[in-house]
Amino acid sequence: MMKSIEPSVSKQQLNILMGQDINTDLTLAQVTPIEASVLDGINYDGDLTTALTQSFDVRLVSDDSTQYEDEKRSFTLAFKNAYQDIRAKRDALSLQQDKLANEEENHNVMTLKYKLGMISKMALDSERYTYLAQQDEVKAAERDLLQSYTTYNWMKKGYKQ
């Protein structure tokens, strides 16, 4: 038996998680993929310089030169990892999109074969499910890329995970 949650309770909890007034109106929207031009516009060196000046961890130890250098190195490594994660997720998305194009082609061929009576409905359905599964893989890769990009943007603001 499923227990339903009162909508206002969920809204209040989300507002608390986001650090805002509990009665703030929320609008949930579909996640849009990141444009390639946005990813191409990432300036790693400039962003790192900005992030280091914004970093709370680095600023907190600015009095102690040894700790300062250690924290600066640690933040730089975390920032580099976040940047490399974006690149890896972008490559993974590109691969999944290529696979989707291939599956779409296969689906079109199988649909034509079905219309010509060359394959069974079961074979067509099997191919359709493979095609739909690949569409889900692309959406998952888009979400992963968005999450990596969001982490990178938080790091530009000085927050290290």
Side-chain angles (χ1 to χ4, degrees), residues 68-85:
Y68 175 77
E69 289 302 319
D70 288 343
E71 192 54 47
K72 187 175 172 183
R73 224 179 346 268
S74 173
F75 187 86
T76 301
L77 179 62
F79 193 81
K80 181 179 180 180
N81 289 338
Y83 176 72
Q84 289 176 339
D85 192 46

Side-chain angles (χ1 to χ4, degrees), residues 6 16-17 19 22 50-51 72 75-77 81 93 110 112 118 124 136 138-139 146 150 161:
E6 185 178 324
I16 289 170
L17 286 172
I22 61 173
T50 302
K72 187 175 172 183
F75 187 86
T76 301
L77 179 62
N81 289 338
L93 174 59
M110 294 296 270
L112 182 59
M118 298 173 70
L124 177 63
D136 291 341
V138 169
K139 287 181 183 179
L146 178 60
T150 302
Q161 289 197 0

Side-chain angles (χ1 to χ4, degrees), residues 53-68:
T53 60
Q54 297 291 325
S55 172
F56 294 107
D57 295 336
V58 173
R59 291 188 322 196
L60 285 173
V61 295
S62 62
D63 296 337
D64 184 357
S65 64
T66 304
Q67 274 188 316
Y68 175 77

Side-chain angles (χ1 to χ4, degrees), residues 45-55 156 158:
D45 294 326
D47 291 345
L48 176 59
T49 302
T50 302
L52 281 170
T53 60
Q54 297 291 325
S55 172
K156 277 188 351 186

Side-chain angles (χ1 to χ4, degrees), residues 88-121:
K89 298 289 172 70
R90 188 176 188 188
D91 291 343
L93 174 59
S94 178
L95 177 65
Q96 294 300 330
Q97 288 171 331
D98 291 345
K99 286 181 178 181
L100 178 61
N102 187 35
E103 284 301 325
E104 184 175 21
E105 180 76 23
N106 289 343
H107 182 263
N108 291 339
V109 168
M110 294 296 270
T111 302
L112 182 59
K113 284 183 176 183
Y114 175 74
K115 288 178 182 177
L116 294 173
M118 298 173 70
I119 62 168
S120 68
K121 174 79 168 133

